[in-house]
Amino acid sequence: MSSEDKLAILKEVRHKSYIMERSKQELKSYLTNVTAEDNCLTDYKAELVQLEQEKVARLEELRQLENDMACIEVLVDQTNQAKGGAYSGACESYGHFCSVKKQVDILRSECLGLEMSQALDMDLQEMVDRLGVTEEQGENGTNRPSLSRKCPQCDKDIHKNSPVCTFCKEKIRGNKS
């Protein structure tokens, strides 16, 4: 081999060695990047798993909150119904009390000449006023059967079973209201 051929081969080897070194540096850079990206990917996947677990836990917590809210809503509805029933009962009882008291007062004052009967105790009357309890009508829209009726002669309220009007002494015939 001639020296020129050797020189050409030497140049070729030098050039190829340079390219090989560049390729080696490039490979090292890429491998370093792959390792770094793999570490990041591992970290990101771990973070994703942790976030997914947190999401599942929060969804379960949200489901539990929704269940709790549904239970409380049922309790609120039941309590409202119970309150409505109690209020209706209070109105009915108050109406009955007022009606009977009116009849008792009529009998006491007009038939027996006595004073009126006692009203509700102060604490009961305050509760009636505070809660807005009124004399309620019955379910069919009518008041309870009255314990009084009007005298056909003087048009005053008398007991429904009274045979004679306590005001005008008119004799009452039949059981007409």
Side-chain angles (χ1 to χ4, degrees):
M1 223 195 257
S2 75
S3 52
E4 281 184 17
D5 288 338
K6 283 184 181 181
L7 186 60
I9 291 173
L10 203 58
K11 279 184 176 181
E12 184 72 23
V13 167
R14 189 172 148 220
H15 180 67
K16 297 284 183 187
S17 293
Y18 174 76
I19 291 174
M20 194 174 71
E21 192 58 36
R22 253 182 71 201
S23 294
K24 191 166 86 173
Q25 289 299 323
E26 194 175 88
L27 176 62
K28 183 179 178 184
S29 176
Y30 280 126
L31 290 174
T32 302
N33 285 344
V34 166
T35 303
E37 293 300 329
D38 190 45
N39 289 340
C40 287
L41 188 60
T42 302
D43 291 345
Y44 295 154
K45 284 182 178 179
E47 182 71 19
L48 187 61
V49 166
Q50 183 179 357
L51 288 172
E52 187 66 32
Q53 290 171 345
E54 190 173 327
K55 175 186 164 187
V56 168
R58 287 188 180 183
L59 285 174
E60 182 56 36
E61 189 176 320
L62 183 59
R63 274 192 285 277
Q64 187 59 45
L65 283 171
E66 287 173 346
N67 287 341
D68 291 349
M69 287 174 61
C71 288
I72 295 297
E73 286 172 357
V74 167
L75 289 173
V76 165
D77 289 344
Q78 290 173 345
T79 302
N80 272 335
Q81 288 175 355
K83 178 186 173 189
Y87 182 80
S88 180
C91 288
E92 190 175 326
S93 292
Y94 182 64
H96 184 67
F97 170 81
C98 290
S99 177
V100 170
K101 182 181 182 325
K102 184 177 179 182
Q103 295 304 312
V104 167
D105 287 345
I106 289 171
L107 292 173
R108 286 175 62 103
S109 66
E110 295 171 6
C111 295
L112 302 175
L114 299 174
E115 293 180 11
M116 294 179 137
S117 61
Q118 274 191 329
L120 288 175
D121 294 337
M122 184 68 118
D123 59 333
L124 280 177
Q125 188 61 51
E126 285 175 4
M127 286 178 68
V128 164
D129 294 342
R130 182 171 42 90
L131 297 174
V133 173
T134 59
E135 297 178 49
E136 185 181 76
Q137 294 186 338
E139 289 182 20
N140 60 2
T142 60
N143 287 331
R144 285 180 169 266
S146 177
L147 296 177
S148 67
R149 63 179 175 168
K150 300 274 186 196
C151 170
Q153 181 69 29
C154 65
D155 202 42
K156 295 200 178 193
D157 283 334
I158 59 171
H159 191 273
K160 73 176 185 175
N161 294 329
S162 178
V164 176
C165 175
T166 55
F167 299 101
C168 69
K169 307 300 182 208
E170 175 76 16
K171 187 172 181 183
I172 308 298
R173 295 197 174 120
N175 250 350
K176 296 179 184 173
S177 296

